[in-house]
Structures are given as C-alpha cells and as structure tokens.
Amino acid sequence: MKGMEKFNIFFGEYSSPQILVVKSWFLGLFFRTLQFTVMVYLLWYVILRQGHQDTDTIVSSVTTKVKGIALTNTSELSEQIWDVADYIIAPEEDESFFLMTNMIVTPNQTQSKCAEYPTQKSMCTSDMNCTKGFKAVQGNGVQTGRCVHYSDSVKTCEVLGWCPVEKKVEPPNPALLADAENFTILIKNNILFAKFDFNKRNILPNITRSYLANCVFNRNTNPNCPIFRIKDIFEEAQEDFQTMAVYGGVMAVQIQWNCDLDQNVCDPQYSFRRLDKKDPESSETTVHNLRFAKYYKSSDGKVERTLIKAYGIRFDVLVYGEARQFSFTRTALSVGALLSFLTVADVICDWLFKLFFKAYKNKKFTYLDEQELVSNEYPIPLTESYF
C-alpha cells in the first residue's frame, strides 16, 4: 500500500509554485537584508576577484650572465685568478646556473697505475684480497689484482685510472671563492601571454644601456634593475653566504608577473629563498657539489688533467604569473551567476517560514484534484484536444 502511495505521489501529481504575499515588516526586512547580503558578497566576488576578466598563464624564457673576479692562493694551484669562464659550470643552462664557491683540487693526474683511496672495500693485506678487473661503483679505477702501499701503514688494491686518486677530505673553510658574494647576476626574462597576444621583458623600455652598466637591484632605490648582487640576494633570503659557500646549496630567484592589462599594469616582482634547507632534526650538512677536469698535455706529450671537486650555489630562476583582461563573455557569465544566486534568499526564507510559521505552510500549499480542475475552470475534459 505504501509503495502505491509513493507511486501516486511521484507520477500522479503536478506541483506549481504559488506566489504568497506576506504583509509583515519584520519578515520583509529580513528577506531584503538577506538579499542585500547575498548581492554584496557576489559583487565582492565579481569585482575584487576580477570575475569580469579572462585570465591566461605565463610562458617564460630566462637567460643569465654572471660577472666578477676572484683570487685564490693554494698549494695545489698557487696564485690564480678566477673569472666567469672558470666558476660557472656548465656555461649554458636553462633558467639556472651553478656558481662555484669552494673546491678540492687534485692536480697532475695521468692515466697510470696507483693505490686506491683507502675504504672498507679497497683496503687489503695481500694480492688475494684484490680481484683483477673489478670496478667498484664508488672507486677510482679498475683493479689490477695487486695489493700495494697507499701509505707506510695502509695497503690498498692497485687500480688503473687517473692517478694520483682524489682524496676524500673536507672542503676548505672559509670557502676559497669567498669573494663571490660581490659577483653580480644579470637576469633577462621574456614573457608571453598567448591568449592576449601580449609579451614583455623585465628590462623595461625606459631602462638605458648606461643605466644597466651601473645599476644594482635595490628594493627601495632600484626596484626595476635586473642586475643582482649575490650578497644582497642572500641577505633578502635571510641566509649567510659565507656559511653556505663552504658546502654549497640551492637558491631560488623568483620572478612574479601579476598583470592587469586593462590598467596597463605589468611589472616583475622579485623575491629570493633557499630551496635546500635541511630538516631541523637532521645533523647531516646539506651539500651541493660536482666534479670537472681541465685537460692539457705535458712536455713529453702525455695527457694530464687537474681534477676539481667543486662546491657551489645552484641558482634556479623561477618565473610564474597570470594576466587578466576584460572579457564580455566572462562578464555575462558572472552577472548571470550573480542574478541566479539571488534566489538563495528566497530558498532560505521559504524554508525558515515553513519551519516556524504554520499558517505560512497552510497558505503556501493548496491541493487540487483533477475533478475540481475540470469542473470549475475548464469544461473540456483533459483527455480531449483543444484544437
């Protein structure tokens, strides 16, 4: 029986909204206040959240150029001048570069045989402990099968490779290229918002060559200068360059473009932060290094090299942003959404009035069966055609 009632309710009834006017200052004021609140919120959303504007994401290209001179004086290299060709590795890289700040140098290496650096796997007491042809993943060459003296008290397996092998020692502290904090970085950033066919670069049109030759970025006095002093970058990121230069690290240069093309506002905003901060609970020091070699021929025609284990700062230039511009379609959709959301006030009031006012509920809903509909209003049966 209950199933039949549900069937009749779903298929056997037609409901039509009935307009009910309630004469009450209190209820009327409550309803208009609710409508006004909804309208203010939606206007805030449309206007302040740029609901009338279309948006596009950024397409970016970055090139960098570092300038600066440093002087070192070590036992391996004696007195040496380092310029951009020496301390930027590799010379070309997309939207990032590696600046060498410290190093461990192994000079005069040749292809020959020598004792491996002492480790748990390389130390030996006799030739029986060494396997000819064995290549350790962390080793420096191919074992010859001989056990030889690395020092007076330590014997290791002999290897065929670049000799003498690199020593596992701590990098110098303070860093050898401590002067790098005074180097400068020129960042060229070209952007495109394809949807609006708009492009721009961070070297603004009013910047002249003479200005570029002398300016250095300063947030207060030179906010549009695209040349940054490394020490200033670290100070803004609240990091100490000399401490980080010993073992290296990763620093981000962030360029944000928030462009309102209707207002002709589209200027880059720069910020800086360190990306490789270690876990405060970890005692391990963050390290960023790589190896490279400089090759040359000796007087007897032998190929020699100087191996450099370079510690340094990797700079990543991160560009992100959004452009906004007036769109008739977006405005029409926002206004339509605004008007449709005004019905929220009707729904809330209708629900509250039905919940607390029984008279409203009785007046709001009137039931009419088919016989009353035919006999009172329309003399023609519903089953007959009007045409």
Side-chain angles (χ1 to χ4, degrees), residues 132 145 173 202 249 262 266 369:
K132 186 176 181 179
N173 191 357
N202 66 326
D262 295 330
C266 192
D369 60 30

Side-chain angles (χ1 to χ4, degrees), residues 77-92:
L77 297 174
S78 66
E79 192 173 67
Q80 181 170 335
I81 294 292
W82 296 79
D83 62 16
V84 66
D86 298 312
Y87 53 70
I88 296 298
I89 311 156
E92 295 291 337

Side-chain angles (χ1 to χ4, degrees), residues 44-63:
W44 169 84
Y45 183 83
V46 171
I47 296 175
L48 295 186
R49 298 289 298 273
Q50 290 85 37
H52 63 292
Q53 293 178 312
D54 199 0
T55 60
D56 190 20
T57 55
I58 196 169
V59 179
S60 170
S61 172
V62 173
T63 57

Side-chain angles (χ1 to χ4, degrees), residues 20-249:
L20 184 64
V21 180
V22 181
K23 294 184 178 181
S24 168
W25 276 98
F26 171 74
L27 298 180
L29 184 62
F30 176 79
F31 174 65
R32 296 305 178 192
T33 302
L34 192 58
Q35 273 190 326
F36 179 77
T37 302
V38 173
M39 181 174 289
V40 168
Y41 170 75
L42 293 173
L43 284 174
W44 169 84
Y45 183 83
V46 171
I47 296 175
L48 295 186
R49 298 289 298 273
Q50 290 85 37
H52 63 292
Q53 293 178 312
D54 199 0
T55 60
D56 190 20
T57 55
I58 196 169
V59 179
S60 170
S61 172
V62 173
T63 57
T64 59
K65 183 183 292 185
V66 182
K67 287 187 177 181
I69 298 294
L71 172 67
T72 60
N73 192 351
T74 64
S75 58
E76 292 87 358
L77 297 174
S78 66
E79 192 173 67
Q80 181 170 335
I81 294 292
W82 296 79
D83 62 16
V84 66
D86 298 312
Y87 53 70
I88 296 298
I89 311 156
E92 295 291 337
E93 202 168 347
D94 292 336
E95 301 185 355
S96 64
F97 61 92
F98 180 87
L99 172 66
M100 183 173 67
T101 57
N102 208 1
M103 72 193 86
I104 298 173
V105 180
T106 307
N108 305 323
Q109 284 188 320
T110 60
Q111 288 274 346
S112 56
K113 297 176 183 179
C114 58
E116 176 64 284
Y117 184 79
T119 64
Q120 187 176 359
K121 293 184 178 180
S122 68
M123 287 192 293
C124 60
T125 56
S126 68
D127 294 349
M128 297 290 293
N129 302 127
C130 303
T131 304
K132 186 176 181 179
F134 176 73
K135 299 181 286 292
V137 176
Q138 301 295 332
N140 292 285
V142 181
Q143 290 187 10
T144 64
R146 296 179 59 211
C147 183
V148 297
H149 281 280
Y150 178 82
S151 65
D152 293 339
S153 58
V154 177
K155 297 180 74 176
T156 61
C157 293
E158 185 183 59
V159 293
L160 174 63
W162 287 99
C163 297
V165 297
E166 178 186 15
K167 296 180 180 179
K168 313 296 183 184
V169 295
E170 287 292 304
N173 191 357
L176 292 179
L177 296 181
D179 291 343
E181 67 177 7
N182 295 314
F183 294 174
T184 59
I185 309 167
L186 168 62
I187 299 177
K188 298 180 182 179
N189 178 209
N190 291 62
I191 62 164
L192 169 67
F193 294 105
K195 184 184 291 186
F196 307 129
D197 192 24
F198 177 86
N199 58 71
K200 196 172 183 179
R201 63 177 187 164
N202 66 326
I203 302 178
L204 303 181
N206 59 340
I207 293 180
T208 62
R209 287 183 176 272
S210 59
Y211 175 79
L212 276 179
N214 299 286
C215 78
V216 175
F217 174 83
N218 182 286
R219 198 166 296 280
N220 298 317
T221 58
N222 281 323
N224 295 322
C225 180
I227 299 176
F228 305 85
R229 192 166 70 116
I230 290 177
K231 184 177 181 179
D232 296 337
I233 291 176
F234 276 76
E235 287 178 352
E236 287 224 10
Q238 298 182 351
E239 297 287 344
D240 180 61
F241 174 81
Q242 296 299 338
T243 301
M244 192 171 171
V246 176
Y247 291 98

Side-chain angles (χ1 to χ4, degrees), residues 18-19 65 91 95 112 120 129 134 161 172 184 259 280 283 303 311 326 333 371:
Q18 179 180 0
I19 298 176
K65 183 183 292 185
E95 301 185 355
S112 56
Q120 187 176 359
N129 302 127
F134 176 73
T184 59
C259 300
S283 59
V303 176
Y311 296 81
F326 173 79
L333 291 173
Q371 294 301 323

